[in-house]
């Protein structure tokens, strides 16, 4: 036997707990720690170099614990290795500037992307890797297991039982990995309740070591709310093409929508344009999706059978409570979200993912990475990849697979289904930046940040359709790199990439149905008006919900 | 609004609970139901056509509830749609013969595969689809959500809290999907305990409706135990090639092993042959793996840093309890397994999957499907597929990706990592059946069973290496279908497929390192003796564990 001691994790845990007990005389009530003692608790529990998961979700943030970490003495606590899915708050990066944290493994940094890139280039942060969410959770159980988890919940009792309410999100994955590997779990909560009175238990108390009442409720972002007033008629046109040219064509029943106005337009067209095509019950029945307010009219019109969610959405609480046939809810009536299971659902149980991007190259590779920012891609790589382990069939998946393999020999010709992965972009973005480029910024960023690979969000090999206002390019039907390139150029409009098309080849691709224009789909662009939207404003969304949807203040314009 | 009622699930749930209350006068104590009343409970709760998850795991079986289902009157309960990962017990199929169940979605049927095929061809079972585990769990949250879940746990209290002990397995995924969609959760348990005395809580009581004490402990199978005495010297040779020619070559740190003697041989060679190559600490540090007894010597020699498990293994309880630095364990000392998270780990956090198969064709497609049996593939498709959503790099993954893409243009040439997926087979199986075939039996089975696609376990496009006693074929380096075919023929030995090789081309592939023989790897087959095994018998495994491992009776030959 080479090892003398197989209990180092348990002993380290005991030592952490003992230090916490000493540091908090009289301030422990069961597992409850006084708010004022939070910094003393973290200082006692943490050790230099610890692997720490500070719950930064896509929406819910353990913001009080983040601020508390910032109060620690870097002489005592330093060099932490942060393993957290989202860097959303300034404090998440302050920790690195202060030297308290050193290394980072994450999924998405959103608004902190520019500052993150600066800290990397100045050597204040070592980035381990950027992950898609489920990939990061998977590593929690393999080689990135947290020694300390700092999570957020709605309420707790003195036994440590947690009620997460609608935003369960990453919490179960984080806590399970930490609690069953000798780690320490600390939760900030908005409310402390008496044992037996929690509306439901989302995390058993035995998995949690300390609970602290936060001085104010945790930060939470309404990331998935899009005001219908801002949807353009070009977006309506593109949404019509998506519904008629892709959803109806393949019979897509189970799907995930990315974030943004493009997909919000699709959601708002289902009960109008979709209804006029007779598609109700034939498409879009099951969703892996946050509770998008833009989906309310389709739900009310009876289009939607089920929605499982990664997280919740602010303002949707009462609406969800009133529609328990559609959403996954607890006995308390509020949503039970779960990012790990919803990502698994998006990967393995959906036939289509559709989302937007900033840049697409001539191979069909797409990325939202831009120079000077390190942002990550959240769930897109997981959902925007062909799930090659999938074995159950559906008409949509089989048709996509047939199109991809028809006429091919050898291993590439073996029959197999394929996931539909659609990139939906206008040819020019804001400030007239072209969405189609010869070379992705990702290549420059790779060099700048010393990455092993360029940060590509969705690979050309996995994209099946590119949809712009000019038409749909079906990459499944392309048989050579040249065909793919011309199919992409053929929908790239007046961008330099689009203008450089081989017109004869593009016309041939159109004859073969590889490229389809609105008129090829029987869509008259003049019909693409905002009148087709089932709700044209936040107010109409509220009305569609029967007054149950309560948008956050910033979305209330009436 | 098209719908008048959005609470049908909740109302149906209330009706089920009300019927249960009426059917069990005086037999309910909290959530506890008397054993004798189990049939009355199921009869009251179930409705014809219900979607039911009867927990059939890879190991743990809700066998008492399965037998209880069989006692129901098919006039009252019939046409159930079973959604369960494993069909292991005769009762699982008896239900279909009796007409109580009609439709089936599953992952693996193992010993019931022949009978399942007979029931399908006689029209007694409609198969929805065969899934890989994580895929089936994903559908629990999308379009196969159970209305009733019948699960198994070690112990419960009257509040419904469940202690699963080491075999948590599928239970959290099943219960979460059912409990948060208005379903009913019923658990059979081996032991009823007083509130507050459960060793730990694996499933909160609020998610569970009824608990029943089973008359005897649930069935559990030691599926992953392999007696080292049965490992052949050919398997030792192949294991040497795997370690030196693949694990060391790519620097594989994180991995999953399939079930069988081939991979058991690798596990038993790490502390001997692996040690002699100086590989300790350089390979095989992190595992997504059930607690294989064959890994004990490597663990004891300090090779293994962490193991996360799908389920547990009978006899390993005390050993796991004594090695908490390595395994994920609860405060009670026993394993916390979780098949959903471990499959995610196998998919996204491992660099290599290695397993065996029954047949491989000339495109590299492999399958364990044989005529007259419908068996499914369990976790193999999920772990034996390139995880195309993965974005974090490792040396092994980058090297495999470079080999696959070197010299390629277009989308196929965009740099990207790749998972190592190894199929390890002797060229002839038992009864001199060739492992290499021109055409997989899967194609016949597809026709027999009316499947949409042939049941291929691992696609040629995803396999990176084929390892036989003749050598290693590295399919990553093949550039044409013909090269792949000859690389496969080149390691297919004296099978008809192997004998039909193009000798000149095979030699060229060998010069390029596409095919590597033992001598190319510096391995002398005469060194491949059973003396290299760190344990040569069950007794030596027990000794290596310091007497902590307690093999089930059938493995005790001394």
């Amino acid at each position: 036997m080479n090892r003398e001691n197989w209990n180092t994790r348990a002993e380290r845990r005991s030592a952490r707990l003992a230090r916490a007990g000493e540091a908090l005389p009289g301030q422990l009530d069961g597992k409850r720690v006084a708010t004022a003692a939070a910094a003393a608790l973290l200082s006692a529990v943490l050790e230099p170099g610890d692997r720490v998961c500070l719950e930064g979700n896509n929406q819910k943030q353990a913001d009080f614990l983040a601020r508390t970490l910032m109060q620690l003495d870097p002489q005592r606590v330093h060099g932490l290795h942060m393993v957290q899915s989202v860097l959303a708050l300034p404090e998440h990066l302050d920790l690195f500037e202060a030297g308290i944290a050193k290394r980072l493994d994450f999924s998405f940094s959103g608004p902190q992307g520019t500052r993150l890139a600066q800290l990397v280039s100045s050597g204040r942060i070592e980035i381990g890797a950027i992950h898609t969410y489920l990939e990061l959770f998977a590593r929690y159980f393999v080689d990135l297991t947290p020694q300390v988890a700092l999570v957020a919940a709605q309420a707790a009792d003195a036994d440590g039982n947690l009620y997460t309410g609608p935003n369960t999100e990453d919490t179960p994955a984080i806590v399970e990995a930490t609690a069953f590997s000798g780690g320490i779990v600390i939760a900030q909560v908005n409310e402390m309740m008496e044992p037996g009175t929690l509306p439901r238990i989302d995390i058993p108390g035995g998995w949690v070591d300390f609970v602290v009442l936060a001085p104010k409720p945790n930060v939470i972002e309404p990331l998935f709310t899009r005001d219908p007033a801002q949807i353009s008629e070009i977006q309506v046109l593109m949404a019509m093409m998506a519904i008629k040219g892709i959803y109806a064509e393949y019979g897509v029943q189970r799907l995930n929508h990315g974030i943004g106005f493009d997909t919000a337009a699709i959601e708002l067209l289902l009960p109008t344009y979709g209804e006029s095509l007779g598609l109700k019950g034939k498409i879009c029945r099951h969703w892996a999706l946050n509770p998008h307010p833009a989906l309310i009219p389709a739900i009310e019109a009876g289009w939607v059978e089920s929605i499982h969610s990664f997280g919740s959405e602010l303002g949707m609480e009462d609406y969800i409570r009133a529609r328990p046939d559609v959403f996954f809810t607890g006995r308390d009536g509020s949503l039970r979200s779960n990012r790990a299971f919803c990502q698994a659902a998006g990967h393995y149980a959906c036939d289509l993912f559709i989302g937007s991007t900033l840049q697409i190259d001539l191979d069909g590779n797409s990325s939202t990475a831009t120079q000077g920012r390190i942002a990550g891609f959240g769930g897109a790589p997981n959902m925007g990849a062909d799930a090659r382990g999938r074995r159950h069939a559906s008409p949509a998946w089989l048709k996509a697979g047939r199109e991809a393999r028809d006429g091919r020999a050898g291993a590439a010709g073996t029959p197999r289904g394929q996931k539909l992965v659609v990139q939906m972009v206008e040819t020019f973005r804001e400030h007239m930046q072209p969405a189609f480029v010869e070379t992705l910024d990702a290549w420059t960023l790779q060099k700048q940040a010393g990455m092993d690979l360029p940060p590509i969000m969705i690979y050309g090999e996995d994209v099946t359709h590119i949809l712009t206002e000019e038409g749909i390019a079906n990459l499944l039907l392309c048989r050579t790199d040249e065909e793919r390139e011309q199919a992409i150029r053929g929908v790239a409009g007046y961008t330099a990439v689009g203008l450089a098309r081989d017109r004869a080849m593009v016309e041939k691709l159109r004859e073969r149905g590889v490229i389809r224009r609105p008129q090829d789909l029987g869509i008259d662009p003049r019909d693409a008006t905002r009148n087709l939207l089932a709700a044209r404003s936040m107010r109409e969304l509220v009305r569609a919900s029967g007054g149950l949807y309560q948008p956050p203040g910033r979305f209330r314009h009436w």
Side-chain angles (χ1 to χ4, degrees), chain A:
Chain A
M1 206 153 62
N2 290 33
R3 286 180 69 158
E4 310 247 315
N5 184 349
W6 297 89
N7 293 299
T8 61
R9 292 201 302 208
E11 289 172 7
R12 216 167 148 191
R13 174 177 156 78
S14 299
R16 293 176 198 269
L17 293 174
R19 289 198 304 266
E22 282 168 31
L24 304 171
Q27 287 165 301
L28 268 172
D29 168 19
K31 291 180 176 179
R32 283 187 284 199
V33 176
T35 305
L41 171 67
L42 295 193
S43 186
V45 161
L46 286 164
E47 297 175 6
D50 270 345
R51 211 179 288 124
V52 176
C53 181
L54 170 59
E55 190 166 21
N57 284 324
N58 208 341
Q59 292 142 294
K60 175 177 73 170
Q61 306 298 332
D63 55 341
F64 169 62
L65 292 174
R67 284 193 298 277
T68 305
L69 266 183
M70 268 307 290
Q71 294 169 19
L72 303 189
D73 176 3
Q75 295 292 325
R76 153 101 194 81
V77 177
H78 50 84
L80 300 182
H81 177 179
M82 308 305 292
V83 291
Q84 67 188 80
S85 64
V86 178
L87 292 156
L89 307 175
E91 289 85 354
H92 292 155
L93 289 173
D94 294 347
L95 288 170
F96 292 87
E97 280 194 336
I100 292 171
K102 179 69 184 164
R103 191 171 169 82
L104 173 65
D105 278 276
F106 76 113
S107 292
F108 185 66
S109 68
Q112 304 298 331
T114 305
R115 193 170 154 217
L116 175 57
Q118 289 159 355
L119 286 167
V120 168
S121 62
S122 70
R124 305 301 292 267
I125 298 188
E126 296 167 14
I127 291 192
I130 309 178
H131 309 73
T132 192
Y133 294 126
L134 189 57
E135 176 187 11
L136 183 63
F137 304 156
R139 291 189 73 188
Y140 289 166
F141 294 92
V142 179
D143 60 340
L144 291 182
T145 308
Q147 277 132 359
V148 177
L150 308 174
V151 301
Q154 174 58 35
D157 62 24
D159 295 334
N161 293 299
L162 301 185
Y163 171 56
T164 57
N167 285 85
T168 308
E169 301 195 60
D170 303 11
T171 314
I174 298 167
V175 175
E176 177 157 349
T178 310
F180 291 98
S181 61
I184 301 276
V185 176
I186 301 172
Q188 73 168 68
V189 299
N190 301 338
E191 206 178 343
M192 206 63 85
M193 299 181 78
E194 289 308 304
T197 66
L198 288 176
R200 74 179 190 233
I201 293 177
D202 289 284
I203 306 286
W207 306 13
V208 176
D209 297 295
F210 300 102
V211 292
V212 191
L213 181 67
K216 56 181 183 180
N218 60 260
V219 165
I220 190 153
E221 272 298 309
L223 278 180
F224 293 88
T225 301
R226 290 294 176 276
D227 184 344
Q230 295 186 46
I231 293 175
S232 69
E233 300 202 326
I234 287 188
Q235 285 164 332
V236 172
L237 173 64
M238 289 166 60
M240 292 168 76
M241 286 194 273
I243 290 171
K244 193 166 184 189
I246 300 176
Y247 292 18
E249 189 83 11
Y250 292 88
V252 174
Q253 305 267 9
R254 304 172 302 167
L255 70 165
N256 168 263
H257 274 187
I259 194 171
F261 289 102
D262 295 328
T263 45
I266 300 175
E267 292 155 19
L268 289 167
L269 249 56
L270 291 176
T272 55
Y273 182 65
E275 188 84 30
S276 75
L277 297 175
L279 294 172
K280 187 170 152 184
K282 296 181 183 156
I283 63 169
C284 299
R285 292 165 57 204
H286 300 282
W287 299 74
L289 196 78
N290 277 39
H292 287 194
L295 203 55
I296 290 171
I299 296 170
E300 293 303 301
W303 278 65
V304 177
E305 287 179 35
S306 73
I307 300 173
H308 187 262
S309 300
F310 311 95
S312 191
E313 186 67 3
L314 275 181
M316 289 287 281
E317 295 79 5
D318 291 348
Y319 182 73
I320 291 165
R321 192 179 298 274
R323 299 290 177 265
D325 277 0
V326 172
F327 295 97
F328 281 74
T329 56
R331 308 279 149 81
D332 65 314
S334 78
L335 190 73
R336 165 80 179 190
S337 59
N338 186 320
R339 182 156 289 112
F341 278 128
C342 199
Q343 287 289 342
H347 187 70
Y348 268 133
C350 285
D351 290 326
L352 175 137
F353 166 74
I354 185 166
S356 292
T357 187
L358 294 183
Q359 294 187 325
I360 301 179
D361 72 13
L362 299 177
D363 294 322
N365 297 312
S366 59
S367 185
T368 52
T370 50
Q371 293 181 35
R373 293 184 74 236
I374 300 179
F377 306 119
N382 173 67
M383 289 185 290
D386 188 30
R388 295 166 80 98
R390 175 172 163 181
R391 293 293 180 272
H392 78 281
S394 68
W397 183 79
L398 288 170
K399 179 176 162 76
R402 276 194 307 272
E403 289 185 344
R405 284 155 196 283
D406 186 41
R408 292 201 149 119
T414 304
R416 184 171 187 171
Q418 186 162 337
K419 182 172 194 180
L420 294 164
V421 175
V422 183
Q423 289 287 269
M424 182 176 185
V425 289
E426 288 183 60
T427 53
F428 285 96
R429 308 177 346 236
E430 300 178 322
H431 313 302
M432 288 302 282
Q433 289 289 308
F436 292 88
V437 296
E438 298 270 342
T439 309
L440 297 176
D441 282 359
W443 292 91
T444 315
L445 192 60
Q446 180 193 4
K447 281 179 207 133
Q448 280 177 351
M451 297 170 170
D452 291 304
L453 295 173
I456 290 169
M457 179 170 68
I458 296 181
Y459 281 84
E461 284 182 322
D462 287 317
V463 176
T464 63
H465 296 77
I466 296 174
L467 193 171
T468 72
E469 73 278 10
E470 204 187 357
I472 299 172
N474 181 345
L475 305 186
L476 290 165
L477 299 174
C478 297
R479 283 293 168 273
T480 63
D481 289 337
E482 200 194 353
E483 281 188 10
R484 180 193 311 250
E485 177 184 328
Q486 291 301 329
I488 293 169
R489 289 191 191 275
V491 295
Y494 292 99
T495 62
V497 162
L499 292 172
R501 71 185 63 174
D502 175 332
R503 294 191 172 276
M505 194 160 167
V506 165
E507 270 319 297
K508 271 194 199 137
L509 291 172
R510 192 174 162 194
E511 281 162 26
R512 272 172 51 198
V514 177
I515 290 177
R516 299 173 84 187
R517 308 287 180 212
Q519 54 267 43
D520 301 336
L521 295 165
I523 294 173
D524 184 341
R526 288 170 302 183
D527 294 337
T529 70
R530 284 184 35 85
N531 288 330
L532 276 182
L533 296 171
R536 284 169 294 263
S537 66
M538 293 303 286
R539 198 168 182 174
E540 288 186 17
L541 276 183
V542 172
R543 196 177 302 140
S545 77
L548 291 164
Y549 172 44
Q550 289 155 14
R554 75 175 91 159
F555 292 103
R556 294 174 174 273
H557 310 301
W558 62 92

